[in-house]
């Protein structure tokens, strides 16, 4: 009946409907005023109805009311539609906002358009009572803008799509070997040099194809402020990622002294134009620490998030093994090896961030050599890192690549564009379970939630990102929000029935998703080499 995605905890229907007309009003109190502004703007452009402001809740009779109910949790909401109108209540403004997103779905796919298709259309909401709350506090999406740059307008669009699916953490992957995407005022060459590469590998790194033109771009600090503010209006937290000590060639190309200068000629390095694990990593020197402290000082001024992501993954140790500077640092600190040197590097920034009231989060390699007490882990190499972290008392975000890396292919067929990794179908994502059964209830409390990741090596524009993300992100959103049964017991056929309506919402939003029948002709990339992995992915 409701065709809602993600599925609510409880929905009880009654006979009748609320009709919104030119006389309907929208009431929001001071605590829900921001949600009211967002909802009235969204609905006015889609419906053409004026939805004038109500001065008190009684004014919204036959219309829409928004208010807080302190008995509910911060993101919990209740939506009641009856003869008096539609009332959305939440424990906090975030809960009211998620209820408003549900209301938009109830109005039909045309409620997602930016102009009314038919000004004589009757806009109605069926009588019902919905009670709903999220399963996890961290319902995330990571977008890699370093490999292929997404302009600011594209980022704002992704935030709107996240909000429509009740996702609330945007992990912003801003730096890598292939590009530095955030303006740092005290280090201008990071964007003057580090934000552009001369050419780009087309397809997997083994592909012989190249796009022989410069690629790049970056966000000014005002762009970042706008993105963070736009996200906050949608109750989305933006978590920045600044990669250290690996994935750093763009920074080293801009400032060669950051690299291992006693091992290689870092002045000969440029922003990397291909993919894979790069051997050029940061030197473990005081100069490097001071440089990145300066970077993070500016990052903290721009991002108010509790967590700051520092990468920490895929850091080859070969240069450190050959570097007398690195070896001297190991001896000076009394460390056992290069793994402990990386742990020291990560620990330095954990202490630095903690002193400033923030928390460090990194990919699960930061467990190697020991992990600082307050740090959290993004478990990407399967479940093992997350299990180890939770058992050690660390908070965890579950994002295993074999389950929720949405850059992986969606079908084994030869028409999938630039096939990467394992096959992860819509059903596979729907049956993903973020909490491993091995964890005790106490350990499971360390699972903050889950996140889907979009790495953009082979995604050259927003249409390719759309194709990889959707419709699977809709299934992921339900996993992150709804209290679903065990994976084998989930009713995927029923989810598919609800997706029939949801595809129309995505159409209205202009999302270039993968159709259930397979890629459309212009979505294919014939002749571009990928890196498919055969067989089922490991379960752990």
């Amino acid at each position: 009946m409701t065709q809602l995605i993600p599925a609510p905890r409880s929905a009880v229907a009654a006979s009748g409907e609320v009709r919104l007309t030119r006389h309907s009003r929208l009431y929001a109190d001071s605590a829900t005023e921001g949600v009211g502004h967002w909802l009235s703007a969204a609905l006015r452009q889609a419906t053409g109805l004026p939805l004038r402001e109500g001065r008190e809740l009684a004014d919204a009779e036959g219309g829409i009311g928004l208010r807080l109910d302190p008995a509910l949790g911060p993101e919990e909401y209740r939506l009641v539609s009856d003869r008096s109108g539609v009332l959305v209540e939440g424990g906090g403004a975030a809960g009211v906002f998620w209820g408003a997103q549900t209301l938009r779905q109830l109005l039909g796919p045309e409620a997602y358009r930016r102009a009314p298709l038919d000004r004589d259309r009757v806009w109605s909401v069926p009588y019902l009572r919905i009670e709903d709350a999220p399963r996890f506090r961290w319902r995330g999406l990571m977008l890699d803008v370093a490999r292929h740059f997404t302009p600011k307008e594209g980022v704002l669009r992704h935030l709107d799509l996240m909000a429509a699916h009740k996702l609330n953490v945007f992990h912003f992957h801003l730096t890598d070997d292939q590009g530095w995407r955030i303006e740092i005022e005290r280090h201008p060459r990071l964007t003057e040099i580090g934000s552009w590469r001369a050419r780009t590998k087309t397809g997997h790194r083994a592909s012989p194809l190249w796009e022989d033109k410069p690629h790049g771009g970056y966000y000014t600090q005002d762009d970042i402020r706008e993105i963070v503010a736009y996200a906050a209006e949608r109750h989305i937290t933006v978590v920045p990622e600044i990669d250290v000590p690996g994935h750093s060639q763009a920074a080293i190309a801009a400032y060669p002294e950051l690299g291992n200068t006693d091992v290689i000629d870092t002045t000969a390095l440029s922003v990397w134009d291909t993919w894979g694990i790069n051997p050029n990593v940061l030197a473990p020197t005081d100069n490097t620490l001071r440089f990145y402290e300066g970077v993070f000082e500016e990052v903290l001024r721009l991002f108010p998030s509790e967590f700051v992501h520092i990468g920490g993954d895929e850091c080859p140790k070969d240069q450190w093994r050959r570097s007398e500077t690195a070896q001297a640092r190991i001896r000076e600190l009394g460390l056992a090896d290069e793994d402990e040197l990386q742990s020291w590097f990560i620990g330095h920034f954990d202490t630095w961030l903690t002193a400033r009231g923030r928390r460090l989060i990194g990919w699960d390699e930061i467990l190697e050599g020991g992990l600082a007490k307050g740090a959290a882990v993004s478990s990407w190499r399967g479940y093992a890192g997350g299990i180890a972290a939770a058992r050690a008392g660390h908070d965890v975000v579950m994002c295993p690549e074999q389950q929720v890396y949405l850059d992986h292919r969606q079908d084994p067929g030869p028409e999938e564009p630039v096939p990467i990794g394992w096959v992860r179908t819509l059903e596979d994502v729907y049956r993903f379970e973020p909490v491993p059964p091995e964890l005790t209830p106490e350990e499971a409390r360390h699972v903050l939630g889950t996140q889907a990741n979009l790495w953009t090596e082979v995604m050259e524009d927003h249409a390719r990102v759309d194709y990889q993300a959707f419709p699977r992100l809709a299934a992921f959103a339900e996993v992150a929000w709804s209290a679903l049964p065990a994976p084998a017991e989930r009713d995927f056929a029923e989810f598919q029935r609800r997706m029939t309506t949801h595809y129309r919402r995505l159409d209205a939003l202009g999302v270039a998703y993968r159709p259930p029948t397979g890629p459309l002709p212009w979505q294919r990339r014939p002749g571009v080499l990928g890196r498919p992995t055969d067989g089922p992915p490991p379960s752990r």
Side-chain angles (χ1 to χ4, degrees):
M1 181 271 299
T2 60
Q3 305 297 303
L4 297 174
I5 290 177
R9 181 175 64 193
S10 169
V12 179
S15 177
E17 63 181 19
V18 174
R19 291 194 173 189
L20 300 181
T21 71
R22 299 190 64 79
H23 304 291
S24 299
R25 292 180 178 269
L26 190 154
Y27 167 80
D29 61 21
S30 58
T32 61
E33 185 177 20
V35 181
H37 289 160
W38 174 86
L39 182 60
S40 62
L43 296 188
R44 281 172 187 156
Q45 70 177 4
T47 66
L49 300 176
L51 289 174
R52 295 181 180 88
E53 180 181 344
R55 294 181 179 273
E56 55 186 48
L57 188 58
D59 290 344
E61 193 163 314
I64 301 168
L66 309 175
R67 71 180 181 187
L68 297 189
D69 180 347
L72 300 175
E75 290 193 283
E76 187 176 5
Y77 73 89
R78 178 171 53 244
L79 187 155
V80 178
S81 170
D82 57 25
R83 65 186 61 186
S84 62
V86 181
L87 178 62
V88 179
E89 298 174 292
V96 176
F97 182 73
W98 303 131
Q101 291 289 351
T102 296
L103 172 58
R104 195 183 187 192
Q105 288 199 20
L106 292 169
L107 286 166
E110 290 76 15
Y112 290 84
R113 296 196 176 274
R114 296 190 182 184
L117 302 186
D118 178 3
R119 291 191 176 271
D120 295 324
R121 174 195 166 121
V122 174
W123 295 92
S124 63
V125 179
Y127 284 0
L128 44 65
R129 180 186 181 91
I130 294 175
E131 296 184 352
D132 201 8
R135 179 184 179 192
F136 294 111
R137 61 171 276 205
W138 186 302
R139 306 180 301 281
L141 174 69
M142 188 225 68
L143 179 64
D144 165 26
V145 297
R147 274 50 177 270
H148 278 98
F149 180 62
T150 298
K152 181 193 69 177
E153 286 301 316
V155 175
L156 301 181
R157 176 177 177 270
H158 280 290
L159 292 170
D160 280 330
L161 291 173
M162 287 179 64
H165 292 83
K166 299 186 173 73
L167 299 174
N168 70 338
V169 178
F170 179 55
H171 176 167
F172 206 5
H173 183 81
L174 289 163
T175 74
D176 217 295
D177 300 303
Q178 295 86 1
W180 185 284
R181 305 294 181 216
I182 178 172
E183 177 187 27
I184 302 297
E185 291 175 347
R186 74 187 69 187
H187 301 306
R189 294 208 304 272
L190 286 172
T191 47
E192 290 170 359
I193 295 172
S195 68
W196 287 90
R197 57 180 181 262
R199 63 175 188 168
T200 300
K201 173 69 70 173
T202 300
H204 181 249
R205 59 182 175 269
S207 167
L209 305 176
W210 295 87
E211 184 180 42
D212 285 307
K213 68 178 183 181
H215 176 86
Y218 68 92
Y219 310 102
T220 67
Q221 294 204 357
D222 280 346
D223 290 337
I224 294 293
R225 292 185 186 98
E226 181 181 353
I227 288 167
V228 170
Y230 193 86
E233 289 176 349
R234 288 147 182 79
H235 297 274
I236 296 170
T237 298
V238 183
V239 174
E241 180 178 352
I242 306 294
D243 255 309
V244 296
H247 288 284
S248 297
Q249 183 161 316
I252 297 169
Y255 291 92
E257 65 271 21
L258 296 174
N260 295 284
T261 57
D262 58 345
V263 175
I264 63 164
D265 178 9
T266 56
T267 63
L269 295 178
S270 59
V271 179
W272 213 24
D273 56 14
T274 189
W275 322 121
I277 299 176
N278 191 304
N280 298 305
V281 303
L282 298 174
T285 63
D286 289 341
N287 174 67
T288 300
L289 297 181
R290 300 293 87 76
F291 183 97
Y292 274 88
E293 286 171 1
V295 169
F296 282 116
E297 282 177 5
E298 296 192 27
V299 167
L300 295 192
R301 288 200 295 268
L302 296 168
F303 296 92
S305 56
E306 174 187 1
F307 289 97
V308 175
H309 207 292
I310 52 77
D313 64 317
E314 296 179 331
C315 177
K317 311 298 193 298
D318 292 347
Q319 290 185 357
W320 288 354
R321 293 187 184 97
R322 292 156 45 207
S323 166
E324 180 50 39
T325 300
Q327 293 302 311
R329 175 62 36 117
I330 289 174
R331 293 191 295 270
E332 170 197 340
L333 296 170
L335 303 177
D337 54 22
E338 292 76 19
D339 283 343
E340 288 195 4
L341 182 61
Q342 176 169 343
S343 179
W344 164 81
F345 200 110
I346 299 300
H348 173 87
F349 286 103
D350 179 69
T351 301
W352 190 91
L353 288 167
T354 299
R356 287 154 182 82
R358 305 299 184 95
R359 293 183 64 189
L360 178 147
I361 186 169
W363 304 110
D364 55 55
E365 284 95 329
I366 66 174
L367 289 162
E368 297 166 3
L371 183 57
K373 183 177 179 181
V377 170
S378 301
S379 186
W380 76 275
R381 295 179 300 176
Y383 288 89
I387 292 169
R391 286 176 172 167
H394 295 285
D395 287 339
V396 178
V397 175
M398 284 293 186
C399 48
E401 68 165 328
Q402 64 268 48
Q403 304 291 339
V404 288
Y405 268 35
L406 301 186
D407 46 297
H408 285 203
R409 58 193 171 133
Q410 304 183 61
D411 187 90
E415 294 181 337
E416 286 303 305
V418 200
I420 299 294
W422 291 288
V423 173
R424 293 286 84 192
T425 65
L426 181 65
E427 182 172 1
D428 291 330
V429 174
Y430 190 67
R431 297 193 188 281
F432 163 59
E433 172 49 50
V435 180
E438 298 95 320
L439 296 180
T440 67
E442 179 64 28
E443 292 164 347
R445 278 193 277 274
H446 285 290
V447 179
L448 300 177
T450 183
Q451 179 174 290
N453 294 340
L454 283 164
W455 299 102
T456 62
E457 287 93 335
V458 299
M459 298 183 220
E460 70 276 10
D461 56 32
H462 87 268
R464 280 287 291 122
V465 175
D466 279 4
Y467 179 92
Q468 293 300 134
F470 291 98
R472 292 183 297 180
L473 193 64
F476 172 81
E478 183 149 311
V479 169
W481 177 277
S482 307
L484 297 176
E489 299 167 10
R490 294 175 189 172
D491 190 346
F492 179 66
E494 192 272 338
F495 175 77
Q496 284 183 303
R497 284 193 292 274
R498 286 183 283 127
M499 278 301 300
T500 302
T501 298
H502 200 66
Y503 285 120
R504 292 173 57 207
R505 296 182 190 121
L506 297 178
D507 287 333
L509 287 164
V511 176
Y513 58 84
R514 181 191 188 275
T517 53
L520 298 167
W522 53 87
Q523 293 174 320
R524 300 166 191 159
R525 297 292 185 276
V528 180
L529 184 66
R531 182 184 54 84
T533 304
D534 294 330
S539 59
R540 286 288 180 266

